[in-house]
Amino acid sequence: MPSWRPGACHSLPVTPERKARHKEKTMLGSMMQMPLLISSLLMHAERHHPEQEIVSRRVEGDLHRTTYRELAGRARRMANALTAHGLKMSDRIGTLAWNGYRHLELYYAVSGSGAVLHTINPRLHPDQIVYLADHAENTILFFDLTFLPIVEAIAPRVKTIKAFVAMTDAAHMPAGSAIPNLLCYEDLIAEGAPEFDWPQFDENTASSLCYTSGTTGNPKGALYSHRSTLLHTLSAALPDALNCSAGDCILPVVPMFHVNAWGIPYVACMVGAKLVFPGAGLDGKSLHDLFEAEGVTMAAGVPTVWQGLLAHMQANNLGFSTMRRTVIGGSACPPAMIEAFEKTYKVHVVHAWGMTELSPLGTICSFKFKHKELSVDQQLALQARQGRVLFGIDMKIVAPDGGEVAWDGLQTGDLQVRGHWVIDGYFKGEGNNPLVRGWFPTGDVAKIDADGYMQITDRSKDVIKSGGEWIGSIDLENIAMAHPAVAMAACIAARHPKWDERPLLVVMKKPGMDVTRDELIKFYEGRVARWWTPDDVVFVDSIPLGATGKMQKNKLREQFRDYKLPTA
Ligand code: AMP
């Protein structure tokens, strides 16, 4: 365990008095001062990688090709058009959009102008979208045509939106829509003048806003700054993190409407990588076709997306020609999936952990020098962990009394983090002060080994407490997922008169495959301590997924609240 103590290196607040004293007594470095602004990423890409391609599958149905030069030109035009329509610093501009070049233009046009890009998850219920647009006080809402029905439903209800912009050209504008102040994206681009000097301002200015998933209560906003985003970008691109370069072709399946697609829209500009956007086509076939046609070398997404892709590839006996690695996170990547990618498809899996409150990357699993000596199976076991912190983030695990838990790879505790891109409060002060002595409590339960590899064992609210001892539901789910007939598995606590709670396994089978309750229970033999073995298995047609593709265990707990275990 490191020798520092919590709070030992807290920086003091920078007051005008301290600044003045610092100037008097300390020699300052004579280096240029340039604020860390998102627009600098775009300017760099335009100047140094102008010809690099950006390919997008559009909702209009075709494949669109552009370059970083055109991206920068169109972002300037959009910034001009928005300014002409009254855009001011710190206005919140909403988007309901897939991954595509127009969404990328807005990432730069809006934040680059000093306004705040509020990406809204279109999979949320319209009531929640109304809540988010009102809470953020959005003034303009951009939307892909797919989401026209949502916009028609919310337009009469939202309080602050003055204009709605359909992200399409004049030929595809919806006819006869009742949406008030409906504008056309390509008309705005055409009317915006091509010259625009990206304004220079304080790097701590807010740049974008993303709300937490909010499984209980209303979602809360994480308001990122230019500085936090730039530092996240620099660290995320490093070899032990996403490992991105100008030689890469990156396909982010992870949506730009949730935590900035894990920072890839910024990282790609910084390194000059080719970008491929899948639009709405997230099924296995659409993704595989795009990987092969565009020479994708790296992708990123949540486990549920990769499940669809692997099933498609298995069924059609396909492989990858150019794919080298895939980043998997958002929820625990089952070891069986890591093994399939590594052994069958020769694609390296990079397991990552993060949160909306971290914009989002916190840890990434990459090997240290000594791990190169490990056998393939030992390496696979390591990859099932969520990995080491990126520089810029620190973490610790704490016991219920607040004391730090040793990094022995055995003991679990509540995971807390702090760093350059961790929130220090929610937007508009929701939820009061979330920090505990300067650290952000993640709500995850984890263990950390002596090499600093963190492994999530549970969400604190998903932990199963049997006879006073914790049972890690993620471990039990991973074992079930290794069974060839299991498509998805969730492990939840069921009431037990003696042990208080016992694990109940909820399973969705793969189409055309069969497995019985007893076979699955037997599957745990030798894989886990006997008292961890689930007491029962129930089979369901589907497991509810939230708007970001995570299993909604709270819904399952509700559904099986009165479930009577055979051992009870
Ligand atoms: P969100 O803010 O919606 O992105 O959700 C963040 C939460 O997702 C984390 O606090 C974890 O509970 C979970 N999560 C993210 N990545 C992983 C991972 N690789 N393994 C396990 N849980 C994860």
Side-chain angles (χ1 to χ4, degrees):
M1 190 163 70
S3 57
W4 46 258
R5 282 284 156 265
C9 52
H10 273 179
S11 57
L12 296 167
V14 183
T15 58
E17 296 74 39
R18 283 192 58 228
K19 261 190 179 167
R21 265 211 341 259
H22 182 75
K23 264 200 179 142
E24 266 171 33
K25 295 189 182 165
T26 318
M27 186 185 289
L28 296 180
S30 43
M31 306 303 286
M32 291 187 188
Q33 282 273 340
M34 298 165 91
L36 298 171
L37 298 180
I38 285 173
S39 55
S40 67
L41 296 168
L42 185 64
M43 289 193 276
H44 174 83
E46 181 182 25
R47 192 164 161 81
H48 300 283
H49 305 279
E51 304 295 336
Q52 187 58 278
E53 262 194 312
I54 301 164
V55 181
S56 311
R57 185 172 273 142
R58 295 204 285 195
V59 293
E60 289 94 332
D62 58 348
L63 209 58
H64 174 272
R65 312 189 92 83
T66 183
T67 61
Y68 281 125
R69 178 186 289 120
E70 283 180 53
L71 166 74
R74 284 168 55 91
R76 280 196 295 270
R77 284 177 179 275
M78 180 53 81
N80 269 322
L82 289 174
T83 308
H85 279 264
L87 183 82
K88 297 188 305 300
M89 286 284 288
S90 302
D91 278 355
R92 269 82 67 200
I93 305 300
T95 62
L96 278 171
W98 297 109
N99 291 7
Y101 68 103
R102 291 184 180 122
H103 207 175
L104 187 65
E105 288 161 8
L106 292 173
Y107 261 57
Y108 286 99
V110 173
S111 303
S113 306
V116 178
L117 188 80
H118 171 207
T119 52
I120 304 175
N121 189 332
R123 296 191 184 120
L124 294 170
H125 189 277
D127 289 350
Q128 275 179 306
I129 296 179
V130 170
Y131 171 83
L132 294 180
D134 286 349
H135 190 268
E137 298 172 63
N138 289 157
T139 52
I140 302 176
L141 180 69
F142 286 83
F143 65 96
D144 267 334
L145 286 179
T146 326
F147 307 121
L148 180 65
I150 300 180
V151 177
E152 282 176 331
I154 66 164
R157 300 172 57 196
V158 288
K159 296 196 185 81
T160 52
I161 297 180
K162 295 193 211 77
F164 297 85
V165 185
M167 293 164 71
T168 189
D169 55 21
H172 292 86
M173 280 299 281
S177 170
I179 298 173
N181 297 323
L182 180 62
L183 305 175
C184 169
Y185 188 95
E186 291 301 330
D187 286 353
L188 283 180
I189 293 270
E191 77 190 44
E195 300 306 326
F196 185 81
D197 286 332
W198 295 108
Q200 299 293 297
F201 41 77
D202 184 338
E203 64 190 22
N204 291 300
T205 304
S207 59
S208 49
L209 176 63
C210 186
Y211 281 75
T212 58
S213 316
T215 41
T216 52
N218 280 324
K220 295 193 279 290
L223 185 62
Y224 313 135
S225 70
H226 284 256
R227 175 187 160 82
S228 74
T229 305
L230 262 275
L231 293 174
H232 181 274
T233 306
L234 285 162
S235 207
L238 287 171
D240 272 351
L242 299 181
N243 187 15
C244 297
S245 82
D248 270 316
C249 173
I250 307 176
L251 188 149
V253 185
V254 47
M256 290 165 76
F257 57 68
H258 187 59
V259 276
N260 303 332
W262 299 352
I264 290 173
Y266 305 118
V267 169
C269 267
M270 188 184 79
V271 302
K274 175 176 172 180
L275 266 174
V276 180
F277 288 126
L282 303 180
D283 58 288
K285 180 176 176 355
S286 307
L287 286 176
H288 188 263
D289 288 354
L290 213 47
F291 283 138
E292 290 300 298
E294 297 300 330
V296 171
T297 58
M298 175 202 156
V302 294
T304 38
V305 163
W306 301 130
Q307 230 172 8
L309 178 75
L310 290 180
H312 169 74
M313 292 180 68
Q314 224 169 4
N316 297 284
N317 206 15
L318 300 169
F320 290 116
S321 320
T322 54
M323 261 281 274
R324 294 286 163 266
R325 65 193 187 285
T326 182
V327 186
I328 304 185
S331 49
C333 181
M337 180 174 282
I338 301 178
E339 189 171 339
F341 267 117
E342 295 273 351
K343 287 192 175 164
T344 312
Y345 299 106
K346 309 289 173 235
V347 168
H348 182 56
V349 171
V350 182
H351 197 178
W353 168 88
M355 308 185 73
T356 307
E357 289 87 340
L358 277 75
S359 79
L361 294 176
T363 66
I364 293 207
C365 195
S366 66
F367 301 138
K368 288 186 170 178
F369 184 71
K370 66 178 182 181
H371 295 134
K372 310 239 154 104
E373 304 284 309
L374 295 178
S375 70
V376 171
D377 286 334
Q378 285 170 323
Q379 287 186 341
L380 288 178
L382 190 58
Q383 283 167 270
R385 300 181 192 169
Q386 281 74 5
R388 294 178 285 118
V389 283
L390 280 74
F391 172 76
I393 296 290
D394 198 0
M395 66 178 170
K396 64 176 181 175
I397 40 174
V398 297
D401 65 4
E404 200 173 335
V405 174
W407 292 18
D408 60 7
L410 298 170
Q411 299 179 68
T412 58
D414 292 321
L415 180 67
Q416 299 189 349
V417 291
R418 66 178 178 190
H420 298 300
W421 51 89
V422 180
I423 60 156
D424 67 0
Y426 288 101
F427 183 47
K428 293 188 170 174
E430 294 290 333
N432 301 321
N433 177 9
L435 304 191
V436 180
R437 282 180 235 111
W439 292 75
F440 176 75
T442 63
D444 287 324
V445 180
K447 51 191 177 185
I448 305 177
D449 72 14
D451 286 318
Y453 286 77
M454 183 273 286
Q455 183 164 17
I456 304 272
T457 55
D458 244 316
R459 281 297 286 169
S460 53
K461 54 184 182 295
D462 293 339
V463 155
I464 302 164
K465 216 160 182 199
S466 175
E469 299 283 345
W470 284 4
I471 294 180
S473 65
I474 294 180
D475 274 345
L476 297 183
E477 286 155 10
N478 283 342
I479 292 171
M481 296 281 286
H483 191 285
V486 174
M488 208 180 286
C491 203
I492 55 170
R495 297 230 155 279
H496 194 282
K498 180 170 178 196
W499 302 113
D500 206 14
E501 290 178 354
R502 289 293 303 156
L504 169 68
L505 190 68
V506 183
V507 168
M508 183 176 112
K509 289 186 229 174
K510 283 188 187 155
M513 306 279 273
D514 212 6
V515 59
T516 64
R517 167 202 182 272
D518 291 348
E519 283 164 353
L520 266 182
I521 300 264
K522 203 165 164 28
F523 195 63
Y524 281 86
E525 263 180 40
R527 291 184 160 90
V528 75
R530 269 177 66 145
W531 67 277
W532 272 44
T533 304
D535 281 27
D536 206 3
V537 181
V538 285
F539 294 99
V540 291
D541 293 336
S542 67
I543 288 181
L545 296 180
T548 51
K550 294 175 213 252
M551 292 191 291
Q552 289 183 302
K553 292 209 221 173
N554 53 337
K555 290 217 167 135
L556 289 175
R557 274 196 293 270
E558 184 59 30
Q559 189 180 341
F560 294 102
R561 202 178 35 177
D562 301 322
Y563 190 80
K564 193 147 172 34
L565 290 166
T567 52

